[in-house]
Amino acid sequence: MRALSGIQPSGAVHIGNYFGAIKQYVALQQEHEGFYFIANYHALTSIRDAATLRRYCLDLATDLLALGIDPDRATLFMQSDIPEVTELTWLLSAVTPMGLLERCVAYKEKVAEGIPADHGLFAYPVLQAADILIYNSDLVPVGQDQKQHVEVTRDIATKFNSTFGEVFKLPEAHILADVAVVNGTDGRKMSKSYGNAILIFEEPDELKRQVMSVKTDSRRVEEPKDPESCNVYNLYKLFAADEDREAVAERYRKGDIGYAEAKQKLLATIIEYFAPQRQRRAELEADPDYVRDVLKAGAEKARAEARETLDRARSAVGA
Ligand code: ADP
Ligand code: TRP
């Protein structure tokens, strides 16, 4: 089985990225072959400055290695190092119904936010389908928001196969129910673009500010509270060991904990949880050539696989 996923270099990684996606990448590489890449061509839909994009790409590669992607087990690479993917995008576009893309929620949401509806934004899921299909992926570890794009990938693959003959394997989204959507400081889905994210490698003062800004109601310490409806608890439970989580939930129900204390606990837990990764990140940051070498070796491996699938697709259409 092969697990594959991509992540856009559109800013610092947050807790939602970690629990929704990156933690699964790391877990899956133990038993499956892992292909993970930095979706820099997808990021062109939002980043239009070359120096910024380059910096975000190197930062994200550093973050992924610090968070546990192991180059001895998994293949880590940059999307744009595999030009076969953009060629396959065209072959897939030829059989992609407009209506399929018009139904994509991510596209509709971005347009509703006022982002200009250019062709790249509209065709984004076709490039994503090429990313997934070209490596013959079985599992695609992602958060809930990406489920529709994996379904679109399956639809495009099915259409291509029925039109030109069996070329592509149909992938499955790999989504863990309890972390499918991690909420941000305001209780909405945590996202870089909503300003509600808690960033994993943030400086301690800023991390503290982010945690302290988690929205709560105005109930006092001694009032009983439902832990599951509290934004602070819902973040805390991602990190805490079973017995700590149950103990805190019980204190919520008994009216034995206030939001200030809960936030302090959350902050301490986040700092402790990511301490080894933070240390590892500092080491990697001091050695960017190592990070670049990992990406280069990954691209060589990924490209050989991509070439083979692209050749089959070209031959199927008669090119
Ligand atoms: P963002 O919405 O912050 O821009 P990305 O789109 O770069 O995040 O997402 C990268 C990966 O992290 C995807 O697999 C996505 O599904 C996952 N992810 C992002 N935000 C969350 C969240 N709040 N909860 C769970 N998974 C998430
Ligand atoms: N669209 C994904 C996101 O915004 C990133 C992505 C690009 C991706 N290509 C992919 C995810 C292939 C999984 C598989 O998060």
Side-chain angles (χ1 to χ4, degrees):
M1 294 272 261
R2 175 171 296 161
L4 167 129
S5 197
I7 180 162
Q8 288 192 62
S10 48
V13 285
H14 56 68
I15 286 171
N17 298 139
Y18 182 71
F19 286 98
I22 301 167
K23 192 168 177 232
Q24 271 63 259
Y25 304 174
V26 174
L28 288 167
Q29 72 182 354
Q30 308 304 326
E31 286 182 31
H32 302 288
E33 208 183 345
F35 269 52
Y36 302 116
F37 68 92
I38 295 172
N40 56 342
Y41 275 170
H42 278 112
L44 288 178
T45 53
S46 61
I47 299 174
R48 304 283 168 84
D49 176 73
T52 305
L53 185 59
R54 262 185 222 112
R55 179 162 45 84
Y56 281 180
C57 286
L58 187 66
D59 282 354
L60 179 55
T62 310
D63 292 343
L64 291 171
L65 292 170
L67 290 170
I69 298 289
D70 175 355
D72 290 333
R73 291 182 180 273
T75 306
L76 180 67
F77 58 99
M78 198 69 79
Q79 183 182 39
S80 60
D81 282 341
I82 322 293
E84 286 77 6
V85 170
T86 43
E87 189 172 341
L88 181 61
T89 303
W90 181 253
L91 301 188
L92 299 179
S93 283
V95 296
T96 303
M98 294 285 283
L100 188 63
L101 301 181
E102 277 160 358
R103 284 196 294 278
C104 286
V105 174
Y107 171 73
K108 288 194 280 193
E109 276 177 4
K110 296 232 162 80
V111 173
E113 279 166 31
I115 294 171
D118 53 33
H119 180 255
L121 192 64
F122 185 64
Y124 182 112
V126 190
L127 177 58
Q128 183 161 352
D131 285 327
I132 297 172
L133 298 173
I134 209 162
Y135 305 110
N136 302 300
S137 322
D138 301 288
L139 299 175
V140 185
V142 281
Q144 183 72 32
D145 59 312
Q146 291 299 313
K147 185 167 190 253
Q148 190 182 30
H149 287 164
V150 180
E151 281 161 5
V152 166
T153 299
R154 291 171 62 93
D155 288 348
I156 295 175
T158 305
K159 186 83 189 290
F160 188 99
N161 287 349
S162 65
T163 309
F164 297 114
E166 288 293 315
V167 172
F168 301 117
K169 202 186 238 189
L170 298 194
E172 301 271 352
H174 176 85
I175 299 170
L176 296 189
D178 50 345
V179 291
V181 184
V182 173
N183 286 337
T185 53
D186 59 0
R188 292 191 298 161
K189 182 197 118 134
M190 187 179 289
S191 173
K192 281 165 250 178
S193 46
Y194 294 163
N196 65 355
I198 297 179
L199 305 182
I200 298 174
F201 295 115
E202 194 54 274
E203 294 306 322
D205 280 357
E206 180 53 24
L207 184 64
K208 181 169 179 192
R209 197 198 60 75
Q210 289 168 359
V211 171
M212 294 304 154
S213 76
V214 176
K215 269 208 186 120
T216 55
D217 59 31
S218 53
R219 264 179 278 189
R220 293 185 313 276
V221 176
E222 60 280 7
E223 287 182 70
K225 306 169 199 62
D226 170 23
E228 300 293 337
S229 60
C230 172
N231 293 326
V232 183
Y233 177 81
N234 282 326
L235 287 165
Y236 176 75
K237 75 177 183 190
L238 296 168
F239 296 91
D242 287 354
E243 68 261 27
D244 293 339
R245 192 182 58 230
E246 236 344 279
V248 169
E250 197 42 39
R251 291 186 59 203
Y252 265 79
R253 291 186 206 103
K254 284 199 311 212
D256 180 40
I257 188 166
Y259 296 124
E261 185 190 344
K263 287 180 181 179
Q264 285 298 347
K265 258 185 179 311
L266 172 62
L267 178 64
T269 310
I270 295 175
I271 291 172
E272 193 190 329
Y273 188 96
F274 288 119
Q277 289 91 329
R278 192 178 278 270
Q279 166 76 29
R280 174 87 182 115
R281 198 187 189 291
E283 290 160 17
L284 289 161
E285 211 175 351
D287 192 0
D289 285 343
Y290 167 77
V291 179
R292 288 193 189 95
D293 286 348
V294 167
L295 292 172
K296 196 159 163 255
E300 270 168 37
K301 188 164 169 217
R303 205 167 172 193
E305 178 90 19
R307 184 74 251 166
E308 195 266 327
T309 312
L310 178 66
D311 285 347
R312 282 192 288 118
R314 284 176 55 127
S315 155
V317 304

